[in-house]
Amino acid sequence: MTRPSFTAQREQLRRGHFIRVVNYHSTPRVARDELARELAGFARDYATVTLDDLDRLFETGTWHKDKPGLIPVFYEGYRNSATVAAPLCDELGITGWFPIATSFVDCDPEHQEAFARAHWISLVEEDTKGGRIAMDWDEVADLSARHVVFPHTAHHEGFDTVLSDDDIEREVVGAKRQLEAVTGQEAPAFVWLHGSSYGQSPRHDEAVRSAGYRYQFANTMIHRVN
């Protein structure tokens, strides 16, 4: 791929040819109307971004739609991502991007609140009223038919706490294999806790690359890995 010059990139921004990434976490039913209004505004002003659209941007260096692109990212694998956020995206014709902490989904519902509190997964009052907090694997599979599903590690970990070879295998490689087995399709992207950038740790970068991920999401950019 030939990288566009700074001048060309600036011109793309001036013309609105860019992608905006908006991050969400728990999307409780009590806040559904607020989320609906926000997503409707995005649907009006931005173009949805599919995986093919993102691939095309990185391959050509040019955004091909008339409006700027939008990637709404719904983190962790909360049940309300499947029951609140995804249906709203479906109604508005928006492709949602869902990074899943696979061990959160795997966790027995009885222990999901404790898991969340032990693994930096924020909870709102509605999350703690009983029942499942995380989506189940059937919901993950259903989500993947219409949206982009990918790992947010297994246990919601940052690269600074994933230290041994076994840790890397579990959090980077195992999470990918598990999601792909459930969805029947590629898990194309990866994201660490805290949105750490590619390029901070060669060992962890190599693990992400070798696992076969195409993208790494970070707080300030989307990195093309492979």
Side-chain angles (χ1 to χ4, degrees):
M1 167 183 170
T2 301
R3 295 185 181 277
S5 67
F6 175 76
T7 300
Q9 292 181 56
R10 186 171 59 184
E11 177 62 16
Q12 292 292 327
L13 290 171
R14 187 190 68 79
R15 294 167 60 189
H17 292 182
F18 59 87
I19 289 176
R20 179 179 182 180
V21 179
V22 181
N23 293 338
Y24 296 94
H25 295 273
S26 185
T27 55
R29 189 163 299 280
V30 69
R32 182 190 184 281
D33 291 347
E34 180 182 355
L35 180 62
R37 288 192 296 271
E38 186 164 294
L39 291 176
F42 287 142
R44 180 190 64 234
D45 297 333
Y46 293 84
T48 195
V49 179
T50 66
L51 180 59
D52 287 343
D53 291 330
L54 189 62
D55 286 340
R56 180 171 174 176
L57 173 63
F58 275 89
E59 287 163 4
T60 67
T62 301
W63 180 240
H64 63 286
K65 297 186 178 182
D66 292 336
K67 295 179 181 180
L70 174 78
I71 295 180
V73 184
F74 301 93
Y75 276 92
E76 275 85 78
Y78 293 95
R79 185 183 187 186
N80 56 39
S81 290
T83 60
V84 176
L88 287 173
C89 288
D90 292 337
E91 290 174 17
L92 295 164
I94 295 172
T95 298
W97 292 60
F98 294 84
I100 305 293
T102 55
S103 290
F104 185 33
V105 176
D106 253 349
C107 185
D108 188 306
E110 182 180 352
H111 304 298
Q112 285 176 357
E113 181 176 349
F115 181 98
R117 296 191 185 284
H119 292 90
W120 296 81
I121 296 176
S122 298
L123 302 175
V124 298
E125 184 178 0
E126 188 177 298
D127 292 325
T128 63
K129 294 298 187 181
R132 280 191 293 116
I133 300 172
M135 63 180 82
D136 62 27
W137 286 115
D138 287 340
E139 288 167 330
V140 172
D142 182 65
L143 204 60
S144 71
R146 305 180 310 283
H147 302 283
V148 184
V149 176
F150 56 102
H152 189 18
T153 75
H155 290 81
H156 202 228
E157 296 281 350
F159 77 89
D160 55 337
T161 58
V162 177
L163 303 177
S164 70
D165 290 344
D166 287 345
D167 290 342
I168 289 175
E169 175 69 23
R170 180 186 65 248
E171 301 297 329
V172 179
V173 181
K176 186 175 195 290
R177 289 174 180 161
Q178 188 169 23
L179 267 186
E180 290 177 342
V182 168
T183 65
Q185 54 189 287
E186 175 196 12
F190 181 81
V191 56
W192 292 107
L193 172 63
H194 308 310
S196 300
S197 298
Y198 191 83
Q200 291 188 266
S201 167
R203 180 170 177 240
H204 293 86
D205 292 346
E206 175 60 20
V208 171
R209 188 195 65 77
S210 296
Y213 293 106
R214 304 213 308 267
Y215 299 102
Q216 181 170 317
F217 277 60
N219 284 335
T220 58
M221 66 188 74
I222 301 171
H223 304 260
R224 180 66 185 248
V225 177
N226 283 318

